[in-house]
Amino acid sequence: MVTTNAELWERYKELVPGLHSNLMGMSYAFDKPLFINKGKGAHVWDVEGRDYLDFVMGLGPGILGHGNEEYIEALKEQIDKLYLGASGTFAIPLELEWAEKFTSLIPCAEKVRICLSGTEAVQFAIRIARAYTKRRYFIRFQGHYHGWMDNILGGVTAENASGMPFALEQLGDFLGTEGRDPEAFQQSFMLPWNDIEVLERVLEKYGEQVALIITEVFNCNGGCCLPRPGYLERMRELCDKYGIVLYFDEVITGFRVGIHGAQGEVGITPDLATFGKAMAAALPMSAVAGKRQLMDLVAENKVTAAGTFNGYPLGVAASLATIRILEKDNGAIYRHIDRIQKRLMDGFREIGKRRGIPLLVQGPRGAFQIAFTDAEVAYTFAELFASDILKLFRIREMLAEEGVLTMRGTRWYMCGSLTDADVDRTLETFDRVMAKL
Ligand code: PMP
């Protein structure tokens, strides 16, 4: 019987090209994928029986950790009576209950529609904003990620663009792809994030042609960078001034950074927002939510969205269960994550200091990033990745070899089931690895 990662990989790669996501690389190193077949709490086990601490958390959904019993019970209840939703033909009472709960929690959500993936929800939101404004272009930011469709995947900002600042394709961009529609990048301007002057300048010239601005609130994909004080507030004002739809992509932050989303944390309400990942913890479900006047375009059949599996009962049950667990004891999970995350972040900083290795540790609740730099804070992807990037790649591999799995980058996702013993083990491992760097 085949039981090693290496043997399974030999068979697997003959049949499955590029794993599930080309963007995340293999489990930790390109030549050493892990085959994981069990998870519990913050731990996963590979087919060789090795125990890993998991800070990947399924690329973000795992806010509850693996195998949360209350969550599994809710799913079992639904599986016992497994029936099919019928997207558009009939509704299910569970979806109504879910929508009432969701709209009561998320500030911008006067109405909400369910989809399956973050990628899909983003394209739906773009369509709504274009229909509402009757404009074509959208603005996106370097270092942000919004799914893998042609019009939004990768590219770099055109420095000193004299005309419209469309993104450029760059050889070696790890978010690049062949096979893209050659005109896809002509739909959007790509700007550096956290730079209000650039945004003001571009809007002065093109503001009346811009349908929407899409932004992460905390730029988790670009190094867990936080917005500069006042940046998002000014973005909100500019959107109002030019009649642009402000759209927060909360696919990572929704229900991870807090029960009211990142918009609740920063106190700025966008016109539209998308959710996914942690919203349903371990099953695919995403959502587009927003102001009534935008969402009503969908009700009026002016904007079309469809999908055979949108609103499937098991996913809705999963999301309801997740939100119920997150809300318990007035958000006890978030308080737990705060404490655990602080232990980790402070611990890493202390190790860096003690070993004389400059280390930046930053992020909102639920996710953080490390980088090898003297800087105390990085406000953009570019700033952060001006650090010693090779060292960053190396430490990720070394950590994985020592049984601690992190996201490419190196990003750490928190979950509610991390224990103090898990933190102790992580800090010990981190210290050992830093000594060998
Ligand atoms: N938006 C953001 C902010 C994301 O981080 C992601 C996924 N990492 C997506 C959209 C796309 O979601 P999905 O992978 O579910 O298609």
Side-chain angles (χ1 to χ4, degrees), residues 59 117-120 122 145-148 216 221 249 251-252 277:
L59 308 185
S117 73
T119 296
E120 178 190 16
V122 166
Y145 177 81
H146 308 289
W148 54 279
E216 294 181 44
N221 284 299
D249 183 358
V251 166
I252 289 180
K277 297 195 192 249

Coordinates of all heavy atoms in Angstrom, one line a residue, residues 59 117-120 122 145-148 216 221 249 251-252 277, ligand 1:
L59 N -6.4 28.2 3.3 CA -6.2 29.5 2.6 C -7.2 30.5 3.2 O -7.5 31.5 2.6 CB -6.4 29.4 1.1 CG -5.7 28.4 0.3 CD1 -5.9 28.5 -1.2 CD2 -4.2 28.4 0.6
S117 N -18.0 30.9 -4.9 CA -16.6 31.3 -4.7 C -16.4 32.8 -4.6 O -17.3 33.6 -5.1 CB -15.8 30.7 -5.8 OG -16.0 31.5 -7.0
G118 N -15.3 33.2 -4.0 CA -15.0 34.6 -4.0 C -14.8 35.1 -5.4 O -15.3 36.2 -5.7
T119 N -14.1 34.4 -6.2 CA -13.9 34.8 -7.6 C -15.2 35.2 -8.3 O -15.4 36.3 -8.9 CB -13.2 33.7 -8.4 OG1 -11.9 33.5 -7.8 CG2 -13.1 34.1 -9.9
E120 N -16.2 34.4 -8.1 CA -17.5 34.6 -8.7 C -18.2 35.8 -8.1 O -18.8 36.6 -8.9 CB -18.4 33.3 -8.5 CG -19.8 33.3 -9.0 CD -20.6 32.1 -8.5 OE1 -20.2 31.5 -7.5 OE2 -21.6 31.9 -9.1
V122 N -16.9 38.4 -6.8 CA -16.2 39.6 -7.3 C -16.8 40.1 -8.6 O -17.1 41.2 -8.9 CB -14.7 39.4 -7.3 CG1 -14.0 40.5 -8.1 CG2 -14.1 39.3 -5.9
Y145 N -5.7 41.0 -4.2 CA -6.1 39.8 -5.0 C -7.6 39.7 -4.9 O -8.2 39.8 -3.8 CB -5.4 38.6 -4.4 CG -5.8 37.3 -5.2 CD1 -5.3 36.9 -6.4 CD2 -6.8 36.5 -4.6 CE1 -5.6 35.8 -7.0 CE2 -7.2 35.3 -5.3 CZ -6.6 35.0 -6.5 OH -7.0 33.8 -7.2
H146 N -8.2 39.5 -6.1 CA -9.6 39.4 -6.1 C -10.1 38.2 -7.0 O -11.1 38.4 -7.7 CB -10.3 40.7 -6.6 CG -9.8 41.9 -5.9 ND1 -10.1 42.2 -4.6 CD2 -8.9 42.9 -6.3 CE1 -9.6 43.4 -4.2 NE2 -8.8 43.8 -5.2
G147 N -9.4 37.2 -7.0 CA -9.8 36.0 -7.8 C -9.0 35.9 -9.1 O -8.1 36.7 -9.4
W148 N -9.2 34.9 -9.8 CA -8.3 34.5 -10.9 C -8.9 34.7 -12.3 O -8.4 34.2 -13.3 CB -7.9 33.1 -10.7 CG -8.9 32.0 -10.6 CD1 -9.6 31.7 -9.4 CD2 -9.4 31.1 -11.6 NE1 -10.5 30.7 -9.7 CE2 -10.4 30.3 -11.0 CE3 -9.1 30.9 -12.9 CZ2 -11.1 29.3 -11.7 CZ3 -9.8 30.0 -13.6 CH2 -10.8 29.2 -13.0
E216 N -9.2 45.7 -0.8 CA -9.2 45.0 0.5 C -9.2 46.1 1.5 O -8.6 47.1 1.3 CB -8.0 44.0 0.6 CG -8.0 42.9 -0.4 CD -6.8 42.0 -0.2 OE1 -6.5 41.6 1.0 OE2 -6.2 41.6 -1.2
N221 N -3.7 40.0 1.3 CA -3.0 39.3 0.2 C -1.6 39.9 -0.1 O -0.8 39.3 -0.7 CB -3.9 39.3 -1.0 CG -5.0 38.3 -1.0 OD1 -4.7 37.1 -0.8 ND2 -6.2 38.7 -1.0
D249 N -13.7 44.3 -0.8 CA -13.6 42.8 -1.0 C -13.2 42.2 0.3 O -12.1 42.2 0.7 CB -12.6 42.5 -2.1 CG -12.6 41.0 -2.4 OD1 -13.3 40.2 -1.7 OD2 -11.8 40.6 -3.3
V251 N -13.5 39.0 1.2 CA -13.5 37.5 1.1 C -12.6 36.9 2.1 O -12.9 35.9 2.7 CB -13.0 37.1 -0.4 CG1 -12.7 35.6 -0.4 CG2 -14.2 37.4 -1.3
I252 N -11.5 37.6 2.5 CA -10.6 37.1 3.6 C -11.1 37.7 4.9 O -11.3 37.0 5.9 CB -9.2 37.5 3.4 CG1 -8.5 36.7 2.2 CG2 -8.4 37.3 4.7 CD1 -7.1 37.0 2.0
K277 N -14.8 32.5 2.0 CA -13.9 31.8 3.0 C -14.5 31.6 4.4 O -15.4 30.7 4.6 CB -12.6 32.6 3.1 CG -11.9 32.7 1.7 CD -10.5 33.1 1.9 CE -9.8 33.5 0.6 NZ -8.8 32.5 0.2
Ligands
PMP1 N1 -11.0 38.1 -3.0 C1 -10.0 38.0 -2.0 C2 -9.7 39.2 -1.2 C3 -9.4 36.8 -1.8 O1 -8.4 36.7 -0.9 C4 -9.7 35.7 -2.6 C5 -9.1 34.4 -2.5 N2 -7.8 34.4 -1.9 C6 -10.7 35.9 -3.6 C7 -11.3 37.1 -3.7 C8 -11.1 34.8 -4.5 O2 -11.8 33.8 -3.8 P1 -11.9 32.3 -4.2 O3 -10.6 31.7 -4.1 O4 -12.9 31.7 -3.3 O5 -12.4 32.3 -5.6

